[in-house]
Amino acid sequence: MTARAGVLLAGAALVAGGFMLAAAGSGPASAAPEDPPPGVIQTLAGGAGRGVARNVSQIPLSLAAGPAGSVYVGDRNGVVRELRGDSAWERAIAGVGAAPTVFAIRGGPATRDRLGVVGGLAVDRDGNVVVADSTNHRIRVVATRTGAFYGQGMTAGDLYTIAGNGGFGDDGDGGPAVDATLGDPGGMVTDRYGNVIFADRGNAVIRVVAVATRAVYGQAMKTGDIYTVAGDPSAAGPGDGGPATAASLTDPAGVTLDAAGNLIIADAGASQVRVVAAVSGTFYGQAMTAGDIYTVAGNGGFGDDGDHGPAVDATLNSPASVATDTSGNLIIADSQNNAVRVVAAATRSFYGQAMTAGDIYTVAGTGAPHYSGDHGPATAAGLGNVSAVTADSAGNLIAASNSTFRIRVVAAAAGTFYGQAMTAGDIYTAAGNGQFSLSGNRGLAINAELNRPTGLAIAPSGDTAIFDDGQVRLVAAASGRFFGRAMTAGHIYALAGNGQEGTAGDGVPGTAAKVQAVGGVTFDQHGNLILADTGNLVRVIAAGDGRFYGQQMTAGDIYTVAGNGNYSYTGDGGRALAASMRNPDSVAVDGDGNLLVADSFNNVIRVIAASTGTFYGQAMKARHIYTVAGDGDFGYDGDGGPATSAAMAEPTGVAIGPGGNLLIADSLNNVVRLVAVTTGTFYGRDIAAGDIYTLAGNGSFDYSGDGGPAGEATLKAPGAVATDSAGNLIIADSFSNRIRVVAATRGSFYGQAMATGNIYTVAGGGLIGFSGDSGPATSARLFDPDAVAVGPAGELAVADWGNRRVRVVRD
């Protein structure tokens, strides 16, 4: 262990412990607490995403303008974030950004609770943020202050359900909202009385959660109950000019209110914008009767014509959201037209255009499906799919694009907004980096977003490498210069890949190359980072300048050391660079510097020899490739015999165990196997050199056997293996959502007493989800842990794949 190792989880680099301190604020993490005791789990890297807004990746689906220039953004990944007009920062106020379709009422801070897809947002008259938790079929509230709201006592910062019991359905009208069933609730708004109005998309209706006993929208309502105010799925026609509750809505996606209290609906399925009149009068050039419904934009055809003419004669294309500005204009997210359009409230100039009352105009977007045009006229910009629109308190038009992963601002006037100097009529990116879940490079690791971490390794220095779905990233354990770059302790950096899948780029800086979506990583004895790239290559990111694997390398550059990129099984006994592989999924380095590769879809383990000699019972030549386990057949046989005669089923993990023996996650056989390099007794088993043995799992896809012999236990598609300093076998038991340990010797490990050869769960309670930080690891929820690694201080790191995090358990 080097002097740097101990700082991975202590002092300035204690990014796991710093997570709780950093989560609520808008700036860097505060000083970290002391190391947690053994058996406690914490997050090392990954989270809901926060920091400089233009660096935070997101899939924005909904928007709501709040007080004092704030704008709230609802993310498909189960997060609500806050943008402020006077700041370039963005912070998460609700959701953990993980396992979005799994609901759990945890209580307590909203930033530690889970949300599904956030399909709609509103800010009520008390400043609380109301959330359409679409995939969980609920309406929830983030309380911004402590008090009584919606018939409940609420604590500032906590999350509460005010409508929906979690079932998908359309019942409950006239009764308590919390007992009703909803159907994928989407766009929402609150009225002047405080009622919550939302588009119940799956039921094709608009519903109201009443906050007071009074008549609203022509109906007598009772506090806390739910009512339908527009839409009837059984209606024969659109119902224009008649009662809103007898009209047909096709896919009501968004709702808002105008200054007169009229309810405006973006009916995406009908490509129209419709109005339910709150009172009788003339609105949008039409005489309207209270409670009746009218079309104010769109003729029902799907298209993009009609600009500069009457809005009712124009064609729209799946309007996803609607808002009003301070002048009363209707702002429409014309989603499939990749544009923002406005129905003018009066004859005058708006958004730099002369407009006529009742006519429709494009104010942002060229119709292009891509991102372009920042710092230029909004009408010349490419927006992509526009998922939501709103206007902030300064009158700026805000548009969210869920296809370009950005929040854009069309400035209403010259000034500084969202940390940028803006010119009236021009468009700017306020938030989003163009990725849907990959952010935070060069910042604190706990503020970053990970995408799908599939590979994990910890260097003797304590640096943690993460293979993160198209990018290889490093969490620095101490400040200094590594891989040719200056790094700061606790911060995360991209070493290779730009987030796009591919294998292009060799002998170039790692960040200029592409890497494939999944794979494993390890460090060699020189500190170089080795990648099992599922583009059918083994690649190296050089830690420093020098000659490695027969090639002259430059620090930070990436090189191929095995594989020709072809998807097949060839090349044994020949040069590794000429060989073909099928989805190499894991890599390890043995004591002789040889590279071990789990050539997963070929059902074999292969070796790239570091030098000429005899290894694994075979004469090998330097930089040549050889199969040392598996006969290439998909199956499960060969135990007790030569490893090269055994059948395996997609081995996804390989590690070096005590005595130099190979440990293999034979994933689809639901076992962990050992290839003996040394004759002796390991994990309580007598083994003979060259033979293969099942060490853990009996082949059944199940979870059982804790506290008993590992060979009698069941596993669920183990994805990866590792060993710690005591020789214990660590298993990522992926589909059981647990990390398990087979003890090499009797002793106490990870807070538990263990017996030689027996198996124990050390992290994960089995249920899918994200929870448990700062508590016992065995009570935490994981989601398909895909990789494990052990650090120099004994810390056990877990790639919590479905939760988009790396988490750490102290030994």
Side-chain angles (χ1 to χ4, degrees), residues 440-644:
N441 285 328
R442 300 180 301 279
L444 282 167
I446 50 171
N447 291 345
E449 291 168 276
L450 305 182
N451 194 351
R452 298 290 188 183
T454 57
L456 195 60
I458 303 178
S461 60
D463 298 323
T464 301
I466 306 164
F467 207 144
D468 189 15
D469 230 13
Q471 193 166 92
V472 181
R473 307 172 82 179
L474 187 80
V475 180
S479 298
R481 191 167 185 85
F482 315 106
F483 293 92
R485 298 173 58 188
M487 298 185 181
T488 301
H491 289 217
I492 192 168
Y493 300 87
L495 293 184
N498 58 8
Q500 299 177 351
E501 295 183 23
T503 57
D506 211 52
V508 300
T511 50
K514 290 183 179 181
V515 293
Q516 199 66 350
V518 294
V521 292
T522 195
F523 290 95
D524 68 13
Q525 67 271 37
H526 305 290
N528 301 310
L529 188 58
I530 318 297
L531 322 179
D533 190 320
T534 54
N536 308 310
L537 305 172
V538 177
R539 305 170 82 179
V540 172
I541 304 171
D545 296 345
R547 190 168 184 82
F548 310 104
Y549 306 100
Q551 301 181 50
Q552 187 63 38
M553 298 186 180
T554 300
D557 286 4
I558 192 168
Y559 303 84
T560 298
V561 296
N564 59 16
N566 293 329
Y567 181 80
S568 61
Y569 181 29
T570 64
D572 263 12
R575 295 184 64 82
L577 283 166
S580 57
M581 293 179 276
R582 286 186 177 138
N583 204 73
D585 214 333
S586 178
V587 64
V589 180
D590 68 16
D592 295 303
N594 303 308
L595 302 184
L596 281 296
V597 182
D599 195 355
S600 180
F601 287 6
N602 281 325
N603 306 302
V604 296
I605 306 298
R606 303 172 83 177
V607 169
I608 303 156
S611 58
T612 298
T614 300
F615 310 102
Y616 306 98
Q618 299 183 47
M620 299 186 181
K621 292 178 66 176
R623 298 184 295 283
H624 285 43
I625 194 168
Y626 304 85
T627 294
V628 294
D631 60 6
D633 289 338
F634 182 96
Y636 180 37
D637 62 28
D639 267 10
T644 50

Side-chain angles (χ1 to χ4, degrees), residues 199 201 204-206 231 238 240 247-255 264-275 293 295 297-298 300-302 316-322 332-333:
R201 295 187 70 168
V205 297
I206 307 298
D240 261 15
S248 170
L249 299 175
T250 306
D251 178 16
V255 292
I264 306 166
I265 304 166
D267 192 353
S271 279
Q272 293 177 316
V273 176
R274 309 183 75 189
V275 169
I293 193 167
T295 297
F302 286 77
L316 308 176
N317 199 343
S318 302
S321 172
V322 65
I332 303 168

